[in-house]
Amino acid sequence: MTGSGTYALLAVPFLGVAVLTAIAAGVVSARRSRGTVCAGRSRRSTVLGGVVTGVVLVVMTCVFNNVIVGLGVVAYDRALVLGARVGLFPVEDLAYAIGAVLLLPSCWVLLDRPVRSERPSQPSRSPEEAP
């Protein structure tokens, strides 16, 4: 792969998978929360927590990437980037942080088993049967 935007072409499949997984997790989460009494309140706090965490991760990624590029630990070939930069690093590098923000909670939702309220397997003792 050569030419302008090669780094972006490497990040697009990862970001695409993350977006599709997030959509699937949203659908699954909405189906699971139907009929739940306090689903709206819990869902709002979960989304707010995810947004705050995502913003912190993206900000920390920007700081760390600028440090490692500024120190010369990592260098980007100018011929392979789109041209837009966030400080010293190309904007394409943010795709991995954004993908992680989408992918990790989505996998958590998709791999979580919903709790079912079933009757206990053993019958409860009546007061007369208690030792």
Side-chain angles (χ1 to χ4, degrees):
M1 291 166 75
T2 60
S4 182
T6 301
Y7 290 140
L9 291 175
L10 293 172
V12 165
F14 175 72
L15 197 54
V17 168
V19 168
L20 291 175
T21 305
I23 291 169
V27 170
V28 168
S29 178
R31 286 185 180 168
R32 285 182 186 164
S33 67
R34 284 186 200 155
T36 306
V37 176
C38 294
R41 178 182 231 176
S42 173
R43 185 180 229 167
R44 271 185 251 124
S45 64
T46 302
V47 170
L48 179 63
V51 168
V52 169
T53 303
V55 168
V56 169
L57 180 64
V58 169
V59 168
M60 290 178 69
T61 299
C62 290
V63 170
F64 182 72
N65 282 0
N66 277 305
V67 169
I68 63 173
V69 172
L71 292 174
V73 175
V74 175
Y76 294 94
D77 186 350
R78 291 191 184 271
L80 301 178
V81 297
L82 291 176
R85 293 188 172 271
V86 179
L88 300 173
F89 71 94
V91 72
E92 299 95 325
D93 216 19
L94 282 178
Y96 300 105
I98 295 167
V101 166
L102 294 172
L103 200 55
L104 182 63
S106 299
C107 288
W108 187 282
V109 167
L110 292 173
L111 297 175
D112 187 33
R113 289 186 176 175
V115 178
R116 297 177 189 228
S117 59
E118 296 179 14
R119 292 184 179 169
S121 59
Q122 296 180 353
S124 61
R125 295 182 179 181
S126 64
E128 299 85 36
E129 297 176 6

